[in-house]
Amino acid sequence: MDTNLYLVGFMGTGKSTVGRQVARQMGFEFLDSDHEIERQQGQPVSQIFAEQGEAKFRALERKFIEHGHPAKKCIVSCGGGLVVPPGMLELLRSRGVVICMHAPIETILKRTMHATHRPLLQVEDPEQRLRELYAQREELYRRTGTMVLTDKRPLREIATHVLRVYRQEAASFGK
Ligand code: S3P
């Protein structure tokens, strides 16, 4: 099985932690869309947002998914907003299996509130902002694919769950 796996979901749901673990178990390459874009641009995401704007960042995310990464044997942790613009979910699905990481808003608040690298949270009231974005996007994330809860479960158990879903879905990918 060499179909790519795309992990989507809100900020702070554990996409990268889980993705790294699953990649290790599967012998796949692990890529984080934010880090790849930062590397290509030579700028942190916050600076891209500040200097080039969010729309440009979204275009870079699309470019990365279209032709910025290997077509096989990789696990991509997708930035939380990557799947939001119209057409992005279909694009991801055309390239591999899509699995959504999920956690309750209270957990996300704890995991993200004090981090400083997320430009969308550099506002006066990040909690309010997170709650708004979560409410806006929740429905969309639910439509992306199988949801895997990353709250209050050991990493190994989450990785095993993701692997099981991946194997089922990769078996029928492209059929
Ligand atoms: C964003 C999520 C971030 C990053 C950028 C925008 C979003 O990625 O791409 O700050 O719109 O939800 P993580 O989900 O890895 O934090």
Side-chain angles (χ1 to χ4, degrees):
M1 238 172 230
D2 55 9
T3 307
N4 278 357
L5 168 61
Y6 298 91
L7 296 181
V8 301
F10 205 68
M11 303 172 229
T13 51
K15 295 168 297 219
S16 296
T17 310
V18 175
R20 238 179 243 111
Q21 172 71 24
V22 176
R24 215 174 289 133
Q25 288 178 228
M26 287 169 58
F28 274 26
E29 183 180 358
F30 172 77
L31 295 169
D32 175 308
S33 66
D34 287 342
H35 292 168
E36 292 306 305
I37 291 168
E38 288 180 332
R39 207 165 48 84
Q40 287 159 5
Q41 296 292 301
Q43 282 186 326
V45 169
S46 54
Q47 202 177 342
I48 302 174
F49 265 69
E51 291 178 8
Q52 308 185 60
E54 181 172 348
K56 173 68 184 183
F57 179 71
R58 300 299 171 203
L60 292 168
E61 289 187 311
R62 180 183 289 271
K63 205 168 124 201
F64 169 70
I65 295 298
E66 277 172 349
H67 31 242
H69 70 293
K72 286 188 188 311
K73 285 198 167 209
C74 71
I75 299 190
V76 180
S77 165
C78 299
L82 182 146
V83 74
V84 174
M88 288 302 284
L89 177 57
E90 293 69 24
L91 178 62
L92 289 180
R93 284 202 182 127
S94 73
R95 306 206 50 127
V97 172
V98 180
I99 301 180
C100 184
M101 301 294 102
H102 176 67
I105 183 69
E106 300 307 328
T107 302
I108 288 173
L109 287 172
K110 276 191 219 128
R111 289 180 185 164
T112 56
M113 276 286 282
H114 302 293
T116 54
H117 64 281
R118 292 186 176 93
L120 293 177
L121 305 184
Q122 300 314 300
V123 292
E124 208 176 303
D125 189 346
E127 174 169 348
Q128 163 85 358
R129 181 83 173 111
L130 274 166
R131 287 184 186 279
E132 277 167 17
L133 274 175
Y134 190 87
Q136 275 168 23
R137 293 180 181 173
E138 202 180 3
E139 182 55 34
L140 172 95
Y141 289 133
R142 286 192 187 283
R143 279 191 280 112
T144 57
T146 304
M147 316 253 310
V148 172
L149 185 68
T150 62
D151 192 36
K152 302 193 177 95
R153 294 169 81 189
L155 179 58
R156 275 208 84 79
E157 192 182 307
I158 301 165
T160 303
H161 187 173
V162 168
L163 260 168
R164 194 170 61 236
V165 175
Y166 168 79
R167 288 196 177 117
Q168 274 165 8
E169 300 192 5
S172 55
F173 180 77
K175 284 188 184 153

